[in-house]
Structure formats: C-alpha cells, structure tokens
C-alpha cells in the first residue's frame, strides 16, 4: 500500500537554528498520528512543511504520492490544515464562511448546501449556522476551523493543536470527532503538548524534541521500548506481615532493581523488574512456591506522562 | 468575456468581501464594533451635510461650484480608497487568515478582483452621487461657466482612472508589506509626497511665489535659457500629473491665461488619465506576481535560494 503521507529526512533551519531535523515518517490511510513535543520542538514547522506552507531546507515529503515541494498546488486539495493560531473573517455568518471555502474548491454549485450541512453536523455547529463568526466562542471557532478543513473532503488532515484552549467536554468531543474521521479512512496528524491526551485515540505517536523525532511508532511499541524495567504490582492478602515477608523475598532477587511499598493501594508492592516475560513467569512461580498469599500479580502500564517526561529532557532551544 | 465575468466576478468566492463590506456599513446589531460603526455614521453624516450645502448653494446663489465639488470629490476618493484597501493583503496575513486562503488555491486574479470590486464600486457610486450637483451647477450658473461640458466629463474620466490607479497601487503595496501599518504609511507618504510635497518643492525652487501662480506656472523658471536637469523635468512632470492641478488647469479661465510652464503649455496633463491607467496595469501585474509568490511560499524561497 502506498503511504498517504511520506516524509524523508525533512529538515528546516532558520539561520543557525535547526527547527526540524531528520524527520522521516510514513503514514497510511486511517492512521491517526499523535505528534507530541514541548514548546519549540518543531511541530508547527513540520506540519507547515507538509501543508506546503514552508519550504523545507532539505529532505522531501509526499502527500498521496505527490511531492509537496514541487507540486504544492496539486497537493493542496488533499489537505485540510488547521493552524495552531488562526483568524476568521468577521461580518459573515457561519454558513457563509463555510460556503466561501467550499466554493473556493469549485465543487458543483448545487452540492454546496449539502456539503455545508454535513460538516456543520459533523462538527456539531448546526445551531450556530446563522450566527456571525465573531460572536462564536473560541472553542466554537476552533470547531468552525475544523469544519472549514472538511468542506473539500480532504484525505489528509493536519491539525496543529486542535484541542488547545478547549474545555474538557469540548476536548472529548474533538477527540471523538478526530477518531471518527480516522475511521473514515483519513490520514490525520494531530499535534499536542500532552501525550495522554492523544494516546487514547491515536494509533501511532511520535515524540519530538528540539527538532528531532525521538521516537515514533504505534503506542504499545513505544511504551515497551521506553520501558527498560517493567513495573510489577504485586498484592497480597490483607496482612502486614505478609507484605513484610514479600518485601524481604523480593529485595534479594537479582533481577529486581527496586522494591517499594505502594502508597496508593494497600498491601501492594511495586517492583522495578529488569527481566523479560519468561523471567517474570519464573518469578511468579517462585513466589507461589514460597507460599506468599498473592491476590494479584500484574504489570502496570507505564504512565504515558512518564513516557513523555522520560523521553524529553525539557530543554528548549 | 462572459467566462471572465463569471470567473472574476459573478462566481468568484471572493465576492464574500462585498457582502462583508455592505454589512459593515449597513447592518446594525451587537456583532459589529460599535465605535467603528459610530465613526462611519459620523463621517456619513458630515458627507450628507456637505452634500446638502452644495445643493443649497447651487440653487440659491447660482454660482458655479463645479471646481469645489470636483476637488472635494477628489479628496474624498483619495482618502477613501487607500483607507479601505490598505489591509487587503497585509491585513489578512496579520489576522492569520492568509494561510487558509492560499490553501484553497484561489487564483491571484480572483483574490485581487474580489478585493477591488466593492471598493471601486463604492468609488463609482460616489462619483455618480456627485454628478447631478455638478451638472446642476454647470447648467444654472449665471456668470462665466468654469468648465465646458466636455471638460467636465473628461474630468470624470480622470477621476475614475485615478481611483483605479490608487486602488491597484494600494493593493500592490499591501501585497508587498508584512504589516498593514507599513502599507498605510507607505501609501500615505507617497501620496503626500507626490500630491503635496513635490508641487510645493517645485514651486519653492522654480516659481516666484506670487499670487496664484504657485503650483500653476513657471516650473521652468530659472531655466528659461538652458535645458533643465533631467531630474527637474521628471519631477515637474510628476507634479503636473496631480489630479487636483489638472482639475485647475481644465478651467476655462486658466486655459486662456498665459503661462511660462512648458508642461502645461504642451497640454501634457491631458494624457494624465491614460498614464494612471498604465500605472494601474503595472500595479495589477505586480500584485498578481506578489500574490503568486505569497501563495506559493515553497517555490518562492526556492527561487530566492537559486538566484
Ligand atoms: N519564522 C521563524 N523564524 C525563525 N525561527 C523560527 C520561525 N518559526 C519557528 N522558528 C523556531 O523554530 C523552532 C520550532 O518552532 P515551532 O513553532 O515549530 O515549535 P512547536 O513545536 O510548534 O512549538 P509550540 O508547542 O510552542 O507550538 C522554535 O525554536 C522557533 O523559535
Ligand atoms: Mg506550534
């Protein structure tokens, strides 16, 4: 299958500052790529390069197989781009605003009302159809901007921090909307500062810092990659002496780096385990053999926030 | 032709600019900035008063007011056109609507046509509004008429051409500046310079500052016997293309007056409107080029790098 978005070694420099470097990625129809990085990581720069708005210093990228640098005009109809900061025209109504963008893509005139109806429904703006755009709240304007990206039914959506500034409910709504668009087979890049915000509806994520894509791939693989030790949570029967005995046994185990009593869950021990899955099974077997009163033995999913903090160093350039 | 009409005007999505402009001036409601609306209303109120005054004076005193009306019209249009156009492109970039606009692949010609249409229509409407009092004063004046009727109509053509030039010039500057403040400053300064400062300088250096001869006579003063420097010739030519002065020279009385001004005597000002239109053509070409460059940031920088 041909990738919908394919970038190879994209690089952008501003003078001596390297904003984006060695950016390589392939995305296929239906992929939702969560693009995470701290301020100044180069997310906006990368997205703008893909959106034909900035010329890469070197490297190449294609959208739907078309080179974005050589044929920007041809690429644009395939892209819906939502900038991180955007303005809207004032003195026009919501539907007129959408009609303008729709008409700009030259669809048959009769189909326009239907298209507008559809995007208004999808973005839940039907009620505001006849409102003036400058009277919309920021969150609604953001939805309007997303609606505007959809009028030409693009195959690729480049969304630069679509959820910033939204209330929790609106964030959930927009996430659902993006997930729905992904299910329709669109290829979506959505950027954010916050990894957990993206992880639940993205199938791929990439973490960028100081212009470099530090890791990228599907969510589980990345978490696995970044986790040199497994976090095991082992609980025993409600009995303090059982916990103490368990702590002692584990402390001497060669594959265990650290053992602590968990403060959140009672009668539970948190273990940093350096072994692999087989060794994990052996550990469980030996604990049972030693007659520890185990009630649960589980690997805790590493906190996504931890992943982010672990990968990025917090340096800004 | 009809294809072009449809493409640039009737079915041009940029016509939304016209809708927005009409709303800005007419619709009231809490969605528009109230101060902006108040200012617009005060300005329009003043215009009504002036217009009424023109009419009353014409009817009551039967004076030929055409020159006053023409100058007023000229001044109004010269303020209004840059004032409504300076944000055309640079403003879009400032308000961060530009990226979305260029991603739609709307052609530069469509964008330009959409930007110009309502401003030029407004200028046309203003000229139409001033036509009845002009004709009225022309027909009713008792004494010497200021203008022959053909001259009066020719001045209408002059003003129309001036509007087109001014509009295209403003858009051209707007497309080539990043900030709309810069656009406004450049346009204002160049207008001030060519319309006011240059004639003043020319008259200071070339004219005996007596009575009403300033601006109008003797730009070759001091060079009667030698060929004036080229810079002198060019600046005095530019000064002679000033619509306000052309309006003055078209007067019956001033045509019989003897002057020592080579440009005026040659009647060069008669080609002024055509020069405006040529200037407008150049500005349109320049704007289309600038818009194409702004619409294709990728290729623009590529060229810069190559060249
Ligand atoms: N036009 C420009 N000229 C010079 N430097 C720039 C320009 N645009 C961006 N940069 C620099 O490039 C780097 C990346 O910026 P970018 O806007 O892509 O970051 P980002 O990941 O989108 O950050 P944020 O999360 O704050 O939006 C920053 O260091 C920024 O200062
Ligand atoms: Mg950004």
């Amino acid at each position: 299958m041909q990738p919908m978005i394919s970038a190879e070694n994209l690089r952008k420099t501003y003078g001596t500052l390297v904003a984006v470097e060695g950016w390589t990625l392939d995305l296929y129809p239906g992929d939702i790529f969560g693009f995470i990085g701290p301020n100044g990581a180069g997310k906006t720069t990368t997205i703008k390069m893909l959106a034909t708005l900035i010329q890469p210093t070197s490297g190449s990228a294609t959208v739907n197989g078309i080179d974005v640098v050589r044929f920007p005009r041809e690429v644009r109809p395939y892209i819906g781009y939502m900038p991180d900061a955007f303005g809207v025209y004032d003195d026009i109504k919501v539907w007129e605003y959408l009609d303008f963008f729709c008409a700009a893509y030259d669809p048959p005139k009769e189909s326009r009302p239907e298209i507008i109806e559809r995007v208004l429904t999808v973005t839940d703006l039907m009620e505001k159809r006849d409102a003036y755009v400058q009277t919309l709240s920021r969150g609604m304007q953001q939805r309007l901007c997303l609606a505007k990206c959809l009028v030409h039914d693009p195959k690729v959506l480049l969304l630069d921090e679509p959820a910033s500034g939204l209330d929790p409910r609106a964030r959930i709504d927009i996430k659902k909307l993006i997930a729905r668009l992904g299910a329709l087979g669109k290829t979506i890049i959505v950027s954010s500062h916050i990894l957990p915000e993206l992880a639940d509806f993205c199938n791929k994520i990439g973490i960028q810092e100081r212009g470099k894509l530090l890791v990228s791939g599907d969510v589980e693989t990345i978490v696995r990659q970044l986790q040199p030790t497994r976090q095991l949570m082992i609980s025993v029967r409600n009995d303090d002496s059982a916990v103490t005995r368990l702590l002692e046994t584990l402390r001497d185990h060669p594959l265990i780096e650290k053992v602590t009593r968990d403060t959140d869950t009672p009668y539970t021990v948190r273990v940093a385990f350096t072994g692999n899955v087989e060794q994990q099974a052996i550990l469980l077997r030996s604990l049972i053999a030693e007659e520890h009163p185990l009630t649960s033995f589980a690997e805790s999913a590493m906190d996504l926030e931890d992943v982010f903090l672990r990968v990025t160093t917090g340096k800004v350039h | 032709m009809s294809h072009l009409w449809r493409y640039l005007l009737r079915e041009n999505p940029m016509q939304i600019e016209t809708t927005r402009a009409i709303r800005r001036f007419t619709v009231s409601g809490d969605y528009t900035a109230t101060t902006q609306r108040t200012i617009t209303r005060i300005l329009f109120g003043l215009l009504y008063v002036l217009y009424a005054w023109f009419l009353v004076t014409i009817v009551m005193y039967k004076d030929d007011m055409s020159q006053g009306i023409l100058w007023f019209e000229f001044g109004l249009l010269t303020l209004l056109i840059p004032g409504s156009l300076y944000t055309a492109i640079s403003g879009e970039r400032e308000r961060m609507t530009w990226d979305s606009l260029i991603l739609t692949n709307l052609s530069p010609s469509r964008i330009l046509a959409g930007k110009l249409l309502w401003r030029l229509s407004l200028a046309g409407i203003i000229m139409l509004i001033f036509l009845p009092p002009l004709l009225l004063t022309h027909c009713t004046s008792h004494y010497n008429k200021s203008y022959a009727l053909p001259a009066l109509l020719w001045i209408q053509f002059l003003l129309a051409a001036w509007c087109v030039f001014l509009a295209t010039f403003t858009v051209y500057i707007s497309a080539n500046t990043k900030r709309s403040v810069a656009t406004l400053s450049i346009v204002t300064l160049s207008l001030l310079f060519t319309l006011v400062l240059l004639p003043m300088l020319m008259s200071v250096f070339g004219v005996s500052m007596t009575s009403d001869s300033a601006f109008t006579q003797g730009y070759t003063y001091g060079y009667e016997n030698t060929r004036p420097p080229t810079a002198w010739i060019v600046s005095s030519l530019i000064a002679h293309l000033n619509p306000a002065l052309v309006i003055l020279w078209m007067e019956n009385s001033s045509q019989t007056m003897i002057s020592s001004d080579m440009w005026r005597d040659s009647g060069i000002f008669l080609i002024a409107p055509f020069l405006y239109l040529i200037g407008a053509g150049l500005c349109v070409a320049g704007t289309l080029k600038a818009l194409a460059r702004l619409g294709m940031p990728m290729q623009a920088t590529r060229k810069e790098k190559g060249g």
Side-chain angles (χ1 to χ4, degrees), chain A residues 43-44 84 160-161:
Chain A
K43 304 182 295 292
T44 300
D84 53 347
D160 202 350
E161 291 177 38

Side-chain angles (χ1 to χ4, degrees), chain B residues 209-255:
Chain B
M209 299 288 287
T210 50
S211 64
D212 62 346
S213 64
F215 296 174
T216 64
Q217 291 186 15
Y219 276 19
T220 48
Y221 179 86
Y223 290 109
E224 283 93 351
N225 301 317
T226 51
R227 192 184 165 278
T230 315
W232 177 272
I233 297 179
V234 173
S235 6
S236 75
L237 173 63
I238 292 174
H240 278 72
L241 295 175
N242 184 337
L245 294 182
V246 176
I247 290 174
L248 187 69
W249 295 325
M250 288 303 288
E251 244 192 325
N252 289 328
S253 58
S254 93
Q255 282 180 8

Side-chain angles (χ1 to χ4, degrees), chain B residues 12-33:
Chain B
N12 185 351
M14 290 301 288
Q15 280 299 7
I16 193 105
E17 294 261 328
T18 312
T19 318
R20 290 172 57 208
I22 293 174
R23 291 234 174 95
R24 216 167 302 149
F25 289 121
T26 56
V27 181
S28 46
D30 45 28
Y31 77 90
T32 11

